[in-house]
Amino acid sequence: MEGFTAHQATRFTGCTARQLRYWDQIGLVRPSVQGTGGRPGVPRLYACRDLVALRVVKSLLDGGMSLQRVRRAWEYLNKRAALDKHLSEVKLITDGVSIFKVARRNGEVLDALREGQLAFFVAIDEIASSVETKVGQFKEDRDRFVRALREAAAHTQTGS
């Protein structure tokens, strides 16, 4: 499994390095490829699914949710709705104070915290698509850079 460094995760998600470290510390979103295990100098490596989770949490925070509420709702939804297993198939509905429902594509609806207030949608499938696009662009740029290095090395070796 390919992992993305914390630096790459900040670029792809808009989260700060401090947020990544803190969310890992409190167990909100942990890097699933490689964690630090509390050891200095060990890089965090995130899977693409982790990047989506980071963007979702950031979207909820940007929408006015407190970190404590996001954390409680995230834990609840992971236990009740296996949110972590179906991340790209759900929509979270919030009014900036509470997270109300998880609606899966198959029509299942689970009340998360409260019902019946004006809400906006956090479309996780759109976030996942956006993260995948950024990761794809990164891989293309990396491959282009590696090809250019190889071509330069070949020209240097042949003397042309």
Side-chain angles (χ1 to χ4, degrees):
M1 175 183 266
E2 183 175 340
F4 299 95
T5 65
H7 178 72
Q8 291 168 324
T10 62
R11 286 184 36 218
F12 297 148
T13 65
C15 298
T16 66
R18 186 170 185 263
Q19 285 173 318
L20 297 182
R21 284 189 304 273
Y22 185 64
W23 295 349
D24 181 16
Q25 263 182 335
I26 65 172
L28 180 59
V29 179
R30 289 201 161 121
S32 62
V33 175
Q34 176 177 293
T36 65
R39 300 177 311 263
V42 175
R44 289 176 176 81
L45 294 176
Y46 293 88
C48 195
R49 173 176 293 226
D50 301 331
L51 300 179
V52 173
L54 291 167
R55 283 278 306 269
V56 169
V57 169
K58 183 171 181 353
S59 294
L60 292 169
L61 292 171
D62 290 349
M65 296 282 297
S66 72
L67 183 59
Q68 293 77 16
R69 287 181 184 268
V70 170
R71 185 176 177 194
R72 276 198 322 259
W74 194 262
E75 288 171 0
Y76 173 83
L77 293 170
N78 276 329
K79 287 178 188 167
R80 291 289 309 258
L83 180 64
D84 56 339
K85 293 184 178 96
H86 306 285
L87 195 55
S88 64
E89 300 172 12
V90 298
K91 294 190 186 304
L92 301 181
I93 305 167
T94 181
D95 67 348
V97 177
S98 298
I99 296 177
F100 298 109
K101 297 179 183 175
V102 175
R104 289 199 184 136
R105 286 187 186 144
N106 65 8
E108 176 186 0
V109 175
L110 171 70
D111 289 343
L113 299 176
R114 232 187 282 169
E115 287 186 60
Q117 297 188 18
L118 180 64
F120 69 90
F121 291 86
V122 176
I124 297 174
D125 56 342
E126 292 172 14
I127 290 173
S129 177
S130 171
V131 168
E132 288 171 4
T133 298
K134 287 183 180 184
V135 167
Q137 290 169 344
F138 166 76
K139 288 179 179 178
E140 287 175 16
D141 290 344
R142 179 188 61 196
D143 292 345
R144 203 171 314 136
F145 178 72
V146 169
R147 276 194 306 276
L149 286 177
R150 287 182 180 148
E151 289 172 8
H155 288 316
T156 301
Q157 289 176 352
T158 60
S160 50

Short mmCIF file of all heavy atoms in Angstrom, two decimals, residues 115-159:
data_model
loop_
_atom_site.label_atom_id
_atom_site.label_comp_id
_atom_site.label_asym_id
_atom_site.label_seq_id
_atom_site.Cartn_x
_atom_site.Cartn_y
_atom_site.Cartn_z
N GLU A 115 -32.46 15.53 14.99
CA GLU A 115 -33.18 15.66 13.72
C GLU A 115 -33.87 16.99 13.60
O GLU A 115 -34.10 17.68 14.58
CB GLU A 115 -34.27 14.58 13.63
CG GLU A 115 -33.75 13.20 13.39
CD GLU A 115 -34.89 12.24 13.16
OE1 GLU A 115 -35.66 12.43 12.21
OE2 GLU A 115 -35.02 11.30 13.95
N GLY A 116 -34.26 17.34 12.34
CA GLY A 116 -35.24 18.38 12.10
C GLY A 116 -34.78 19.81 12.05
O GLY A 116 -35.60 20.71 12.20
N GLN A 117 -33.52 20.09 11.84
CA GLN A 117 -33.09 21.48 11.76
C GLN A 117 -32.49 21.74 10.38
O GLN A 117 -32.10 20.81 9.67
CB GLN A 117 -32.04 21.79 12.84
CG GLN A 117 -32.61 21.64 14.23
CD GLN A 117 -31.62 22.14 15.26
OE1 GLN A 117 -30.71 22.86 14.96
NE2 GLN A 117 -31.82 21.73 16.49
N LEU A 118 -32.41 23.01 10.01
CA LEU A 118 -31.81 23.40 8.75
C LEU A 118 -30.38 22.88 8.70
O LEU A 118 -29.63 23.01 9.66
CB LEU A 118 -31.82 24.93 8.62
CG LEU A 118 -31.22 25.50 7.35
CD1 LEU A 118 -32.04 25.05 6.15
CD2 LEU A 118 -31.20 27.01 7.43
N ALA A 119 -30.00 22.29 7.58
CA ALA A 119 -28.69 21.64 7.52
C ALA A 119 -28.07 21.85 6.14
O ALA A 119 -28.75 22.18 5.19
CB ALA A 119 -28.85 20.14 7.79
N PHE A 120 -26.75 21.66 6.06
CA PHE A 120 -26.10 21.59 4.76
C PHE A 120 -25.39 20.25 4.68
O PHE A 120 -25.17 19.59 5.69
CB PHE A 120 -25.13 22.76 4.56
CG PHE A 120 -23.90 22.73 5.41
CD1 PHE A 120 -22.75 22.10 4.98
CD2 PHE A 120 -23.88 23.35 6.65
CE1 PHE A 120 -21.62 22.07 5.77
CE2 PHE A 120 -22.75 23.33 7.45
CZ PHE A 120 -21.62 22.68 6.99
N PHE A 121 -25.05 19.83 3.48
CA PHE A 121 -24.49 18.51 3.26
C PHE A 121 -22.98 18.58 3.09
O PHE A 121 -22.47 19.46 2.42
CB PHE A 121 -25.09 17.87 2.00
CG PHE A 121 -26.53 17.52 2.15
CD1 PHE A 121 -27.51 18.46 1.90
CD2 PHE A 121 -26.90 16.25 2.55
CE1 PHE A 121 -28.84 18.15 2.03
CE2 PHE A 121 -28.23 15.93 2.69
CZ PHE A 121 -29.21 16.87 2.43
N VAL A 122 -22.29 17.63 3.68
CA VAL A 122 -20.88 17.41 3.41
C VAL A 122 -20.84 16.18 2.53
O VAL A 122 -21.09 15.07 2.99
CB VAL A 122 -20.09 17.17 4.72
CG1 VAL A 122 -18.64 16.85 4.40
CG2 VAL A 122 -20.18 18.37 5.63
N ALA A 123 -20.62 16.38 1.25
CA ALA A 123 -20.66 15.28 0.29
C ALA A 123 -19.30 14.59 0.27
O ALA A 123 -18.36 15.04 -0.38
CB ALA A 123 -21.02 15.80 -1.09
N ILE A 124 -19.20 13.50 0.99
CA ILE A 124 -17.93 12.81 1.13
C ILE A 124 -17.46 12.24 -0.20
O ILE A 124 -16.28 12.24 -0.50
CB ILE A 124 -18.01 11.72 2.22
CG1 ILE A 124 -18.32 12.39 3.57
CG2 ILE A 124 -16.73 10.92 2.30
CD1 ILE A 124 -18.56 11.43 4.70
N ASP A 125 -18.41 11.80 -1.04
CA ASP A 125 -18.00 11.27 -2.34
C ASP A 125 -17.32 12.35 -3.18
O ASP A 125 -16.36 12.08 -3.88
CB ASP A 125 -19.17 10.64 -3.08
CG ASP A 125 -20.36 11.57 -3.27
OD1 ASP A 125 -20.45 12.60 -2.56
OD2 ASP A 125 -21.21 11.26 -4.13
N GLU A 126 -17.78 13.60 -3.07
CA GLU A 126 -17.14 14.69 -3.80
C GLU A 126 -15.76 15.00 -3.22
O GLU A 126 -14.82 15.29 -3.94
CB GLU A 126 -18.02 15.94 -3.78
CG GLU A 126 -19.29 15.78 -4.58
CD GLU A 126 -20.25 16.94 -4.40
OE1 GLU A 126 -19.84 17.99 -3.87
OE2 GLU A 126 -21.42 16.77 -4.80
N ILE A 127 -15.65 14.94 -1.90
CA ILE A 127 -14.35 15.14 -1.25
C ILE A 127 -13.39 14.05 -1.68
O ILE A 127 -12.24 14.30 -2.03
CB ILE A 127 -14.50 15.20 0.28
CG1 ILE A 127 -15.21 16.49 0.70
CG2 ILE A 127 -13.14 15.07 0.97
CD1 ILE A 127 -15.55 16.57 2.17
N ALA A 128 -13.87 12.80 -1.69
CA ALA A 128 -13.02 11.67 -2.10
C ALA A 128 -12.55 11.85 -3.53
O ALA A 128 -11.37 11.64 -3.85
CB ALA A 128 -13.77 10.35 -1.94
N SER A 129 -13.45 12.27 -4.40
CA SER A 129 -13.09 12.50 -5.80
C SER A 129 -12.04 13.60 -5.93
O SER A 129 -11.08 13.48 -6.69
CB SER A 129 -14.35 12.86 -6.60
OG SER A 129 -14.02 13.14 -7.92
N SER A 130 -12.21 14.67 -5.16
CA SER A 130 -11.26 15.78 -5.18
C SER A 130 -9.88 15.33 -4.71
O SER A 130 -8.85 15.67 -5.31
CB SER A 130 -11.77 16.92 -4.31
OG SER A 130 -10.79 17.90 -4.14
N VAL A 131 -9.84 14.55 -3.62
CA VAL A 131 -8.56 14.04 -3.11
C VAL A 131 -7.92 13.13 -4.14
O VAL A 131 -6.72 13.22 -4.41
CB VAL A 131 -8.76 13.31 -1.76
CG1 VAL A 131 -7.52 12.53 -1.38
CG2 VAL A 131 -9.12 14.30 -0.66
N GLU A 132 -8.70 12.24 -4.75
CA GLU A 132 -8.16 11.32 -5.75
C GLU A 132 -7.59 12.09 -6.94
O GLU A 132 -6.56 11.72 -7.49
CB GLU A 132 -9.23 10.33 -6.20
CG GLU A 132 -9.55 9.30 -5.15
CD GLU A 132 -10.76 8.43 -5.50
OE1 GLU A 132 -11.32 8.58 -6.61
OE2 GLU A 132 -11.14 7.62 -4.66
N THR A 133 -8.25 13.18 -7.34
CA THR A 133 -7.75 14.01 -8.44
C THR A 133 -6.41 14.62 -8.08
O THR A 133 -5.46 14.59 -8.87
CB THR A 133 -8.77 15.12 -8.79
OG1 THR A 133 -9.99 14.50 -9.22
CG2 THR A 133 -8.24 16.03 -9.88
N LYS A 134 -6.30 15.18 -6.86
CA LYS A 134 -5.04 15.79 -6.43
C LYS A 134 -3.92 14.75 -6.35
O LYS A 134 -2.79 15.01 -6.73
CB LYS A 134 -5.22 16.48 -5.09
CG LYS A 134 -6.00 17.77 -5.19
CD LYS A 134 -6.09 18.47 -3.87
CE LYS A 134 -6.87 19.77 -4.01
NZ LYS A 134 -6.90 20.53 -2.77
N VAL A 135 -4.25 13.55 -5.85
CA VAL A 135 -3.26 12.48 -5.76
C VAL A 135 -2.82 12.08 -7.16
O VAL A 135 -1.63 11.89 -7.43
CB VAL A 135 -3.82 11.28 -4.96
CG1 VAL A 135 -2.94 10.05 -5.13
CG2 VAL A 135 -3.96 11.64 -3.48
N GLY A 136 -3.77 11.97 -8.10
CA GLY A 136 -3.45 11.64 -9.48
C GLY A 136 -2.54 12.66 -10.12
O GLY A 136 -1.58 12.32 -10.82
N GLN A 137 -2.83 13.94 -9.89
CA GLN A 137 -1.99 15.01 -10.42
C GLN A 137 -0.58 14.92 -9.84
O GLN A 137 0.41 15.09 -10.55
CB GLN A 137 -2.59 16.38 -10.11
CG GLN A 137 -3.84 16.67 -10.90
CD GLN A 137 -4.58 17.90 -10.39
OE1 GLN A 137 -4.35 18.38 -9.29
NE2 GLN A 137 -5.50 18.40 -11.21
N PHE A 138 -0.50 14.65 -8.54
CA PHE A 138 0.80 14.50 -7.89
C PHE A 138 1.60 13.37 -8.53
O PHE A 138 2.78 13.52 -8.84
CB PHE A 138 0.62 14.25 -6.40
CG PHE A 138 1.86 13.76 -5.71
CD1 PHE A 138 2.89 14.64 -5.41
CD2 PHE A 138 2.01 12.42 -5.39
CE1 PHE A 138 4.05 14.19 -4.79
CE2 PHE A 138 3.16 11.97 -4.76
CZ PHE A 138 4.18 12.85 -4.47
N LYS A 139 0.95 12.22 -8.76
CA LYS A 139 1.64 11.08 -9.35
C LYS A 139 2.11 11.38 -10.77
O LYS A 139 3.22 11.01 -11.15
CB LYS A 139 0.73 9.85 -9.34
CG LYS A 139 0.53 9.27 -7.95
CD LYS A 139 -0.38 8.07 -7.97
CE LYS A 139 -0.56 7.50 -6.58
NZ LYS A 139 -1.48 6.35 -6.56
N GLU A 140 1.28 12.07 -11.55
CA GLU A 140 1.68 12.46 -12.91
C GLU A 140 2.89 13.40 -12.87
O GLU A 140 3.83 13.22 -13.64
CB GLU A 140 0.52 13.14 -13.63
CG GLU A 140 -0.58 12.21 -14.05
CD GLU A 140 -1.77 12.94 -14.65
OE1 GLU A 140 -1.62 14.13 -15.02
OE2 GLU A 140 -2.84 12.32 -14.75
N ASP A 141 2.86 14.40 -11.98
CA ASP A 141 3.98 15.33 -11.85
C ASP A 141 5.24 14.60 -11.43
O ASP A 141 6.33 14.85 -11.96
CB ASP A 141 3.66 16.43 -10.84
CG ASP A 141 2.60 17.40 -11.33
OD1 ASP A 141 2.31 17.42 -12.54
OD2 ASP A 141 2.05 18.13 -10.48
N ARG A 142 5.10 13.68 -10.48
CA ARG A 142 6.25 12.90 -10.01
C ARG A 142 6.83 12.07 -11.14
O ARG A 142 8.05 12.05 -11.36
CB ARG A 142 5.84 12.02 -8.84
CG ARG A 142 6.97 11.16 -8.30
CD ARG A 142 6.51 10.17 -7.27
NE ARG A 142 5.53 9.28 -7.90
CZ ARG A 142 4.71 8.50 -7.23
NH1 ARG A 142 4.70 8.51 -5.93
NH2 ARG A 142 3.86 7.71 -7.85
N ASP A 143 5.96 11.38 -11.90
CA ASP A 143 6.44 10.54 -13.01
C ASP A 143 7.12 11.38 -14.08
O ASP A 143 8.16 10.99 -14.62
CB ASP A 143 5.27 9.76 -13.62
CG ASP A 143 4.73 8.70 -12.67
OD1 ASP A 143 5.40 8.38 -11.68
OD2 ASP A 143 3.61 8.21 -12.94
N ARG A 144 6.57 12.56 -14.39
CA ARG A 144 7.17 13.46 -15.37
C ARG A 144 8.56 13.91 -14.90
O ARG A 144 9.51 13.95 -15.67
CB ARG A 144 6.26 14.67 -15.58
CG ARG A 144 6.43 15.37 -16.89
CD ARG A 144 5.37 16.40 -17.15
NE ARG A 144 4.08 15.83 -16.82
CZ ARG A 144 3.10 16.41 -16.14
NH1 ARG A 144 3.19 17.60 -15.76
NH2 ARG A 144 1.98 15.82 -15.85
N PHE A 145 8.67 14.24 -13.61
CA PHE A 145 9.94 14.67 -13.03
C PHE A 145 10.98 13.55 -13.10
O PHE A 145 12.12 13.78 -13.50
CB PHE A 145 9.72 15.12 -11.59
CG PHE A 145 10.96 15.55 -10.88
CD1 PHE A 145 11.59 16.75 -11.20
CD2 PHE A 145 11.52 14.76 -9.89
CE1 PHE A 145 12.74 17.15 -10.56
CE2 PHE A 145 12.67 15.15 -9.23
CZ PHE A 145 13.28 16.36 -9.57
N VAL A 146 10.57 12.33 -12.76
CA VAL A 146 11.49 11.19 -12.80
C VAL A 146 11.95 10.93 -14.23
O VAL A 146 13.14 10.67 -14.48
CB VAL A 146 10.83 9.94 -12.17
CG1 VAL A 146 11.63 8.68 -12.44
CG2 VAL A 146 10.65 10.14 -10.67
N ARG A 147 11.03 11.01 -15.20
CA ARG A 147 11.41 10.83 -16.61
C ARG A 147 12.42 11.88 -17.04
O ARG A 147 13.40 11.58 -17.73
CB ARG A 147 10.18 10.89 -17.51
CG ARG A 147 9.43 9.58 -17.62
CD ARG A 147 8.44 9.58 -18.78
NE ARG A 147 7.49 10.68 -18.75
CZ ARG A 147 6.35 10.68 -18.06
NH1 ARG A 147 6.03 9.64 -17.32
NH2 ARG A 147 5.54 11.72 -18.10
N ALA A 148 12.19 13.14 -16.64
CA ALA A 148 13.11 14.22 -17.01
C ALA A 148 14.49 13.98 -16.40
O ALA A 148 15.52 14.21 -17.07
CB ALA A 148 12.55 15.56 -16.56
N LEU A 149 14.53 13.50 -15.17
CA LEU A 149 15.82 13.20 -14.53
C LEU A 149 16.55 12.08 -15.27
O LEU A 149 17.76 12.14 -15.50
CB LEU A 149 15.62 12.81 -13.07
CG LEU A 149 15.29 13.92 -12.09
CD1 LEU A 149 15.03 13.34 -10.70
CD2 LEU A 149 16.41 14.94 -12.03
N ARG A 150 15.80 11.05 -15.65
CA ARG A 150 16.40 9.92 -16.37
C ARG A 150 16.93 10.36 -17.73
O ARG A 150 18.01 9.94 -18.16
CB ARG A 150 15.40 8.78 -16.51
CG ARG A 150 15.15 8.07 -15.20
CD ARG A 150 14.20 6.91 -15.37
NE ARG A 150 14.00 6.25 -14.08
CZ ARG A 150 12.89 5.68 -13.71
NH1 ARG A 150 11.84 5.63 -14.53
NH2 ARG A 150 12.78 5.11 -12.53
N GLU A 151 16.16 11.19 -18.43
CA GLU A 151 16.60 11.69 -19.73
C GLU A 151 17.86 12.54 -19.59
O GLU A 151 18.78 12.42 -20.38
CB GLU A 151 15.48 12.49 -20.40
CG GLU A 151 14.34 11.66 -20.87
CD GLU A 151 13.14 12.47 -21.37
OE1 GLU A 151 13.26 13.72 -21.48
OE2 GLU A 151 12.09 11.86 -21.63
N ALA A 152 17.88 13.38 -18.56
CA ALA A 152 19.07 14.22 -18.33
C ALA A 152 20.27 13.35 -18.01
O ALA A 152 21.38 13.62 -18.49
CB ALA A 152 18.79 15.21 -17.19
N ALA A 153 20.09 12.32 -17.22
CA ALA A 153 21.19 11.40 -16.87
C ALA A 153 21.67 10.67 -18.11
O ALA A 153 22.88 10.48 -18.31
CB ALA A 153 20.74 10.42 -15.79
N ALA A 154 20.73 10.25 -18.97
CA ALA A 154 21.11 9.53 -20.20
C ALA A 154 21.91 10.44 -21.13
O ALA A 154 22.90 10.02 -21.73
CB ALA A 154 19.87 9.01 -20.90
N HIS A 155 21.49 11.71 -21.25
CA HIS A 155 22.23 12.67 -22.08
C HIS A 155 23.61 12.93 -21.53
O HIS A 155 24.57 13.08 -22.27
CB HIS A 155 21.45 13.98 -22.22
CG HIS A 155 20.23 13.89 -23.08
ND1 HIS A 155 20.21 13.24 -24.29
CD2 HIS A 155 18.98 14.35 -22.88
CE1 HIS A 155 19.01 13.30 -24.81
NE2 HIS A 155 18.21 13.98 -23.98
N THR A 156 23.72 12.99 -20.23
CA THR A 156 25.01 13.23 -19.58
C THR A 156 25.96 12.05 -19.82
O THR A 156 27.13 12.24 -20.10
CB THR A 156 24.81 13.44 -18.06
OG1 THR A 156 23.93 14.55 -17.87
CG2 THR A 156 26.13 13.72 -17.36
N GLN A 157 25.41 10.82 -19.75
CA GLN A 157 26.23 9.62 -19.94
C GLN A 157 26.69 9.47 -21.39
O GLN A 157 27.79 9.02 -21.66
CB GLN A 157 25.48 8.37 -19.51
CG GLN A 157 25.29 8.27 -18.03
CD GLN A 157 24.45 7.06 -17.63
OE1 GLN A 157 23.89 6.37 -18.46
NE2 GLN A 157 24.37 6.82 -16.33
N THR A 158 25.82 9.85 -22.34
CA THR A 158 26.19 9.72 -23.76
C THR A 158 26.99 10.91 -24.26
O THR A 158 27.52 10.89 -25.36
CB THR A 158 24.93 9.54 -24.64
OG1 THR A 158 24.10 10.69 -24.49
CG2 THR A 158 24.19 8.27 -24.27
N GLY A 159 27.01 11.97 -23.46
CA GLY A 159 27.78 13.14 -23.83
C GLY A 159 27.10 14.04 -24.85
O GLY A 159 27.74 14.87 -25.47
#
